[in-house]
Amino acid sequence: MAQLDRSAPVRGTSSLTSLKLYNFFIYGAISIFAGFLQLYLQEIGMTKLEIGSLMAIGPFVSLFANPFWGFWSDKSRNIRIVLMMMMGGTFVLAQGVFYAPSYAWIYVAMIFFYFFQSPLFAQTNSLILGYIDGTGQKFGSFRLWGSLGWALTAVAAGPVIDRFGVSSVSIIFACMIAVAFIFSVLLPRQPIASDTPIVTFRRFGKVMFNPYFMIFIGLGVLVSVPNAMNSTFMSLYIVEMGGDKQMVGWAIFTSSILEVGVFLLLDRLLKRKMSILLGSLILVSLLFALRWQLMALANNPMEVVFIQLMHSVTFGGYFYVGTQLTMLFIPRPYRSSGQAVYTMAWGGLSGVIAGLFGGWLFQSFGAEVMYNIGVFFSLIGAAGFAIMWLWNRRNGYQPTVLTEMGNMDEDK
């Protein structure tokens, strides 16, 4: 059995409280950027297609950034320091986006911004899982603080941005990132298993690119494309219907506030068994299809606000289940990399497709067609997960094992 490095500080209540508050502020910061940047870009004169193209560049960069930071988190065995580096780069480069003198400089700043920002959530998940490993604590009870930060920050920022203009987004974002950084500093170093194998590129490739995991990732991209289109263009959809920035804030609030209850329920009720988790993804994908159908039929911005309540069950459910499945697919020494690949697919590849394809659909055919395409993608994803579920029920799943890694979890 692996021995822990006893020189590491004990993970007490104070460190876990700092972890919760770090989650609150890092998610709150990104909700400001993700929810209101599109309005800023529209105000300075960009079209929907230009906005979509710009938003697609960032996720494209994340295709390389997520594996890069995930690999070095595993290799350095110090996710906290890596996260602090990423937050520092995010803070500086965000100001470059808002104060760029031309469109060309905005594109350049966004490329470098996303290199540091896009892997933040994946590495934060790995940070949580590392701190709670062996403590009896549940992932959802920490991740829900991120949902609270996302929801409460967005709804509080809406009136402020309405009052002072979209240029105030940069100030609010910078303050939230700075506070998150402070709480990350307060976290102690994590204990490390003394016999944990060294991470290498050869082992990384052998573990990550097994067919079963890659099929899971591919179906995840299909389901996440319409979700990314909604995240990118929902604020413009609301404004197009006659809503204001405060209503955008309420839409972000309703999309996240119920995640608190969803994560607590999933922690309590959902077993970490692969067949159960795959069955849950079938249900979530069907709920995604229903959500996009309702969005296509919406007639006013208030309907959009209420439909966003489904985000907590759909995105929250997929996020939780996908994170747990990735832990089952990937051996312990490579879990930061596994979460990075999972997030790369969910937020990177799908974001590129959503920005370019979604921007073209929205500008050329309108939001109704864009959301109806989302219904189709979600239904195909549900069918794919159903096939995986049947295969797993009949044949089971044996994770990739490297003999030099030693024992690893096989929660089935």
Side-chain angles (χ1 to χ4, degrees):
M1 181 177 293
Q3 299 295 316
L4 293 181
D5 176 5
R6 298 300 179 184
S7 65
V10 177
R11 291 166 287 178
T13 304
S14 61
S15 68
L16 296 182
T17 299
S18 297
L19 183 59
K20 292 174 181 177
L21 291 172
Y22 161 78
N23 269 272
F24 182 94
F25 284 98
I26 196 66
Y27 274 84
I30 303 305
S31 77
I32 296 298
F33 195 89
F36 295 96
L37 176 66
Q38 297 90 332
L39 299 179
Y40 169 79
L41 297 174
Q42 187 175 58
E43 186 168 286
I44 64 174
M46 283 191 169
T47 66
K48 293 182 180 68
L49 185 56
E50 287 173 333
I51 293 171
S53 300
L54 179 62
M55 302 304 286
I57 288 177
F60 176 76
V61 173
S62 77
L63 296 176
F64 308 97
N66 271 290
F68 174 86
W69 290 107
F71 178 84
W72 286 108
S73 290
D74 287 329
K75 192 170 183 65
S76 69
R77 305 183 189 181
N78 198 329
I79 301 174
R80 183 176 67 95
I81 296 299
V82 171
L83 275 168
M84 291 167 66
M85 293 171 58
M86 291 161 60
M87 281 188 283
T90 298
F91 178 92
V92 172
L93 290 160
Q95 307 312 307
V97 173
F98 287 105
Y99 296 104
S102 66
Y103 288 172
W105 278 107
I106 291 177
Y107 277 83
V108 172
M110 283 288 284
I111 289 172
F112 289 101
F113 169 83
Y114 270 95
F115 180 77
F116 288 92
Q117 182 273 324
S118 58
L120 274 174
F121 289 163
Q123 297 312 305
T124 294
N125 294 340
S126 296
L127 185 76
I128 296 171
L129 293 168
Y131 273 107
I132 67 175
D133 189 26
T135 66
Q137 299 281 343
K138 299 289 188 179
F139 174 79
S141 63
F142 288 85
R143 176 56 179 80
L144 66 84
W145 281 82
S147 298
L148 284 173
W150 187 282
L152 296 178
T153 302
V155 76
V160 176
I161 295 170
D162 251 344
R163 171 69 176 82
F164 295 102
V166 290
S167 59
S168 62
V169 171
S170 64
I171 299 173
I172 300 171
F173 177 80
C175 291
M176 297 292 290
I177 283 285
V179 176
F181 186 90
I182 291 171
F183 282 114
S184 73
V185 172
L186 297 177
L187 292 170
R189 184 168 60 89
Q190 290 177 271
I192 299 170
S194 60
D195 62 351
T196 298
I198 300 300
V199 172
T200 67
F201 281 109
R202 182 180 63 82
R203 293 176 184 171
F204 173 86
K206 187 172 181 180
V207 173
M208 291 297 159
F209 300 106
N210 68 78
Y212 210 84
F213 183 56
M214 287 293 100
I215 291 171
F216 162 69
I217 290 296
L219 291 172
V221 170
L222 199 61
V223 173
S224 66
V225 164
N227 184 73
M229 289 193 295
N230 181 70
S231 298
T232 302
F233 298 107
M234 180 191 67
S235 58
L236 301 181
Y237 189 33
I238 289 174
V239 171
E240 191 175 83
M241 286 183 167
D244 56 17
K245 297 176 184 66
Q246 188 167 351
M247 192 162 287
V248 172
W250 278 109
I252 298 171
F253 174 83
T254 57
S255 72
S256 303
I257 191 59
L258 293 183
E259 280 185 5
V260 174
V262 169
F263 286 131
L264 289 176
L265 284 174
L266 291 175
D267 265 344
R268 181 178 295 272
L269 301 176
L270 200 61
K271 294 181 180 179
R272 246 184 69 184
K273 185 176 180 182
M274 190 168 289
S275 60
I276 293 176
L277 294 174
L278 287 171
S280 300
L281 289 185
I282 300 170
L283 177 60
V284 168
S285 299
L286 292 174
L287 289 174
F288 263 128
L290 175 60
R291 180 183 171 191
W292 307 137
Q293 187 62 67
L294 292 174
M295 287 291 285
L297 298 174
N299 293 311
N300 61 72
M302 188 55 67
E303 290 181 15
V304 173
V305 170
F306 283 110
I307 293 169
Q308 295 313 302
L309 287 168
M310 293 186 68
H311 181 86
S312 297
V313 178
T314 51
F315 174 77
Y318 194 98
F319 178 91
Y320 183 97
V321 172
T323 299
Q324 301 300 317
L325 270 173
T326 300
M327 288 183 66
L328 299 185
F329 283 126
I330 303 299
R332 187 184 303 278
Y334 291 79
R335 284 180 178 170
S336 288
S337 299
Q339 296 296 338
V341 172
Y342 170 59
T343 303
M344 174 190 72
W346 179 267
L349 184 57
S350 64
V352 174
I353 298 170
L356 297 174
F357 183 53
W360 173 73
L361 285 174
F362 196 171
Q363 182 158 306
S364 302
F365 304 102
E368 182 178 352
V369 171
M370 182 182 74
Y371 282 113
N372 278 324
I373 295 293
V375 175
F376 177 69
F377 281 6
S378 300
L379 291 175
I380 293 182
F385 286 125
I387 294 171
M388 285 189 72
W389 178 82
L390 286 171
W391 179 272
N392 179 259
R393 292 281 291 181
R394 293 177 181 176
N395 305 294
Y397 171 73
Q398 183 65 37
T400 301
V401 177
L402 302 181
T403 55
E404 62 266 36
M405 287 183 179
N407 295 328
M408 65 181 178
D409 296 337
E410 294 183 22
D411 300 303
K412 292 195 61 189

